[in-house]
Amino acid sequence: MENFTPVSALIGGAFIGLSAAIMLAGNGRIAGISGILGGAISSRGDERRWRILFLAGLLIATLLYQFASSSPITIETQASPELLVIAGLLVGFGTRLGSGCTSGHGICGIARFSKRSFAATVTFMLFGFITVYVTRHLLELGV
Amino acid sequence: MSSVKEQNSHDGMFAHSAVTLVSGVLFGLGLIISGMVNPGKVIGFLDLAGVWDPSLIFVMGGCDCHHVDFWLVLRRERLLFERKFFLPQGRT
């Protein structure tokens, strides 16, 4: 358990949960990133506007954090650009098919006691575990 | 008396936008602080056979603290700046 960071994980999680709660209380919307991104592309008018605003918020957070914090934002991956594109396509396709992602289903859906979200979360977690095991320990792809 | 304040559309839009922006910023900060923007951290959680990093469970735990907020909001069935909820109507 080398990289275990329980405190920052809890704090970060609390921020995310608060964000989702505010979104629900204020606007009646689910803070599901895949849905927000997908909708930002495919919708028009107000529907598009608020989604772009939310995504802008995500990016602004990066600037804020870098301004306020001395520690850099760590991004570690051994994946090649090509692999990242393929992975991105799979994630995009999968989240649209499944109508949600970790935030939509895993956080908001479960908070609403949605059976569908619970099933989705269990499924993508399970396949995440399996995929990492296969790619890292069976095929030893080094990613 | 309406449970939603009657505001002209301009005010409503501003409040709606402010909430959305604040929410986005909080979400982004949460992702960064928790380390979830780092693919290595996520894979560390998914890598059960390797050096396992259970941090993601604690991220979920942090979110779980707000489940009560969800419950309260959905119970009240009243919103601050919108007239209705936009909740997914799943097939289950």
Side-chain angles (χ1 to χ4, degrees):
Chain A
M1 298 217 281
E2 199 177 273
N3 302 308
F4 187 33
T5 54
V7 176
S8 56
L10 265 173
I11 294 172
F15 269 69
I16 294 173
L18 181 63
S19 158
I22 286 174
M23 206 54 191
L24 189 68
N27 297 333
R29 302 275 185 179
I30 295 293
I33 304 303
S34 63
I36 291 176
L37 179 59
I41 295 167
S42 62
S43 61
R44 293 282 175 271
D46 283 345
E47 288 293 303
R48 170 177 261 190
R49 203 171 301 121
W50 77 258
R51 286 179 170 87
I52 289 178
L53 200 53
F54 187 93
L55 296 171
L58 291 182
L59 298 177
I60 288 168
T62 314
L63 296 171
L64 268 177
Y65 184 87
Q66 290 180 315
F67 181 73
S69 168
S70 51
S71 48
I73 299 175
T74 316
I75 307 284
E76 305 160 310
T77 182
Q78 283 92 46
S80 64
E82 296 79 17
L83 202 56
L84 286 174
V85 169
I86 293 170
L89 282 168
L90 287 171
V91 169
F93 196 69
T95 52
R96 291 300 78 215
L97 252 186
S99 307
C101 55
T102 340
S103 52
H105 283 309
I107 296 166
C108 301
I110 289 182
R112 293 172 55 219
F113 302 110
S114 160
K115 278 183 264 188
R116 186 178 78 151
S117 290
F118 185 75
T121 305
V122 167
T123 308
F124 59 64
M125 287 285 184
L126 183 66
F127 276 83
F129 289 127
I130 292 171
T131 306
V132 171
Y133 181 76
V134 169
T135 54
R136 255 197 189 180
H137 302 286
L138 287 184
L139 300 173
E140 290 182 1
L141 294 178
V143 283
Chain B
M1 187 181 79
S2 169
S3 60
V4 174
K5 282 194 211 125
E6 290 300 327
Q7 299 162 317
N8 66 50
S9 59
H10 181 76
D11 281 348
M13 184 71 114
F14 177 76
H16 184 288
S17 299
V19 167
T20 304
L21 190 61
V22 167
S23 182
V25 171
L26 283 173
F27 201 106
L29 287 175
L31 286 177
I32 296 169
I33 291 169
S34 64
M36 292 296 107
V37 290
N38 183 1
K41 202 123 177 80
V42 177
I43 297 206
F45 171 75
L46 296 172
D47 191 5
L48 295 173
V51 182
W52 190 51
D53 177 0
S55 298
L56 200 148
I57 297 176
F58 281 69
V59 181
M60 292 285 197
C63 297
D64 284 348
C65 299
H66 291 282
H67 283 6
V68 66
D69 304 340
F70 264 72
W71 185 71
L72 287 170
V73 171
L74 290 170
R75 246 174 67 122
R76 283 170 81 242
E77 292 175 18
R78 279 190 295 163
L79 297 169
L80 297 174
F81 306 118
E82 274 283 355
R83 289 177 200 288
K84 62 180 167 77
F85 285 101
F86 293 84
L87 298 175
Q89 307 298 321
R91 265 163 273 138
T92 53

